[in-house]
């Protein structure tokens, strides 16, 4: 039975909304790159496995950054994969630096840009030094906002800077194109300490949400965040977005913070896989403190082995306090 959404849209609009052409083009490219191997078991089976992986969200594993950010579904799938793969960091209570979190991201996407990781870390650390330690949950929810709404936040940063400098806030902001990440404007000390008037900022963001062609948080929830304060800073706004329960639910990639460390389906699958490896369970049991975290001086991360339908090649490659963040915030 077709959904109401599907019935309300013409075919071409529905296909565009779901980015079907993006996946068809990617599937055909991989088919041509691996046609000799695929010919052994058939084209029909290849397309079946490819679109099954898209539905399951595993199609983004070990892919190039331009692909994982190409569609909203890809971004949600990458966020969910990062959480499921590395939630043991949070369960163990480990605190990591920005560079260490970047190493984890590169394990899933070898060419993941450092700039995006730095922006996510600044949401958590604000005016602290970038080498401070962060908890997994703090970083994950900040990273979710920064990664999924990246183009929107670049436009928000420009509006914020214009308000600080007294420029016309109604100037049309042209979003960056997908695949490019504009350098975020530097925020002066006065702006960091005093911020901007929340009501005026809210009006500007309402206009931005109306015309923004990329994903943005639900305008009603943005207005709710801004209605609770008279003035706010840029990173204070981003922190409020990252901690907002409604925005997390609307995005649908991650569970609530209270359930972040629980994933029974993944635990069961891991136990099943570990049981198939002779000697591995005993060695893990004997050394519970052993972890898969990257070293403090991480080596360059290469591209891991990929399944057949993930085989596209990857092209090349403040000062403040040192206070640690922890899991105690609710």
């Amino acid at each position: 039975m077709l959904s109401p959404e599907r019935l309300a849209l013409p075919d071409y609009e529905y296909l565009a909304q779901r980015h079907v052409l993006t996946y068809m083009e990617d599937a055909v490219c991989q088919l041509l790159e691996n046609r000799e191997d695929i010919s052994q078991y058939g084209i029909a089976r290849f397309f079946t496995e490819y679109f099954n992986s898209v539905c399951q969200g595993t199609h983004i594993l070990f892919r190039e950054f331009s692909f994982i950010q190409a569609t909203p579904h890809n971004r949600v799938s990458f966020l969910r994969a990062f959480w499921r793969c590395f939630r043991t960091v949070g369960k163990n209570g480990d605190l990591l630096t920005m560079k260490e979190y970047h190493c984890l991201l590169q394990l899933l996407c070898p060419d993941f840009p450092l700039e995006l990781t730095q922006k996510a870390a600044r949401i958590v650390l604000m005016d602290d030094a970038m080498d401070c330690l962060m908890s997994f949950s703090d970083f994950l929810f900040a990273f979710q906002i920064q990664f999924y709404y990246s183009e929107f936040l670049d436009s928000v940063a420009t509006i914020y800077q214009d308000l600080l400098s007294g420029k016309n806030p109604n100037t049309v902001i042209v979003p960056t194109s997908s695949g490019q990440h504009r350098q975020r404007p530097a925020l002066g000390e006065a702006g960091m300490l005093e911020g901007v008037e929340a009501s005026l900022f809210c009006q500007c963001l309402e206009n931005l949400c109306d015309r923004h062609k990329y994903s943005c948080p639900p305008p009603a929830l943005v207005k709710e965040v801004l209605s609770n304060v008279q003035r706010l800073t840029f990173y204070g706004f981003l922190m409020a977005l990252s901690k907002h329960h409604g925005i997390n639910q609307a995005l649908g990639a991650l569970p609530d913070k209270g359930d972040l460390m629980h994933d029974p389906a993944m635990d069961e699958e891991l136990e099943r896989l570990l049981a198939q490896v002779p000697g591995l369970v005993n060695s893990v049991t004997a050394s519970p403190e052993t972890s898969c975290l990257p070293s403090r001086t991480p080596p360059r991360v290469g591209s891991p082995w990929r399944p057949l339908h993930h085989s596209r090649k990857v092209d090349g490659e403040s000062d403040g306090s040192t206070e640690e963040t922890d899991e105690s915030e609710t």
Side-chain angles (χ1 to χ4, degrees), residues 102-299:
H102 186 65
C103 280
L104 296 183
L105 289 166
Q106 286 186 310
L107 291 177
L108 301 181
C109 174
D111 67 335
F112 196 92
L114 177 63
E115 182 184 357
L116 273 184
T117 314
Q118 291 173 331
K119 287 181 177 180
R122 287 193 183 100
I123 297 176
V124 179
L125 302 174
M126 302 184 84
D127 57 347
D128 286 342
M130 290 298 289
D131 59 351
C132 289
L133 299 175
M134 294 172 281
S135 69
F136 180 72
S137 64
D138 284 346
F139 177 80
L140 181 62
F141 284 110
F143 176 70
Q144 172 178 239
I145 293 295
Q146 178 59 62
F147 176 61
Y148 191 85
Y149 297 124
S150 181
E151 296 86 1
F152 173 77
L153 295 187
D154 284 342
S155 297
V156 171
T158 302
I159 290 176
Y160 181 86
Q161 188 66 24
D162 286 346
L163 289 175
L164 280 182
S165 59
K167 293 182 181 178
N168 181 4
N170 294 319
T171 302
V172 174
I173 304 298
V174 180
T176 57
S177 60
S178 182
Q180 295 181 336
H181 294 277
R182 189 169 51 202
Q183 186 67 35
R184 187 161 286 168
L187 306 177
E189 273 188 42
M192 288 298 296
L193 295 175
E194 299 175 8
V196 299
E197 184 181 342
S199 59
L200 181 57
F201 193 43
C202 183
Q203 293 176 12
C204 296
L205 296 193
E206 285 181 347
N207 295 333
L208 177 63
C209 290
D210 289 340
R211 64 175 180 263
H212 208 274
K213 66 178 182 178
Y214 297 107
S215 298
C216 60
L221 299 182
V222 173
K223 188 174 182 179
E224 179 183 317
V225 168
L226 295 173
S227 66
N228 295 325
V229 293
Q230 292 185 340
R231 300 185 68 84
L232 82 168
T233 64
F234 177 69
Y235 286 109
F237 172 64
L238 299 192
M239 175 62 79
L241 291 182
S242 71
K243 291 180 176 294
H244 196 283
H245 172 74
I247 291 178
N248 181 56
Q249 280 195 326
L251 206 155
L254 302 175
D256 295 335
K257 186 172 183 178
D259 299 324
L260 198 62
M261 304 311 161
H262 305 292
D263 188 1
M266 177 61 79
D267 289 338
E268 183 178 341
E269 180 67 13
L270 286 175
E271 289 178 4
R272 185 184 67 81
L273 293 174
L274 289 174
Q276 298 176 6
V277 182
L280 182 59
V281 175
N282 291 337
S283 64
V284 172
T285 303
S287 304
E289 73 280 0
T290 302
S291 131
C292 297
L293 300 179
S295 60
R296 291 284 171 178
T297 307

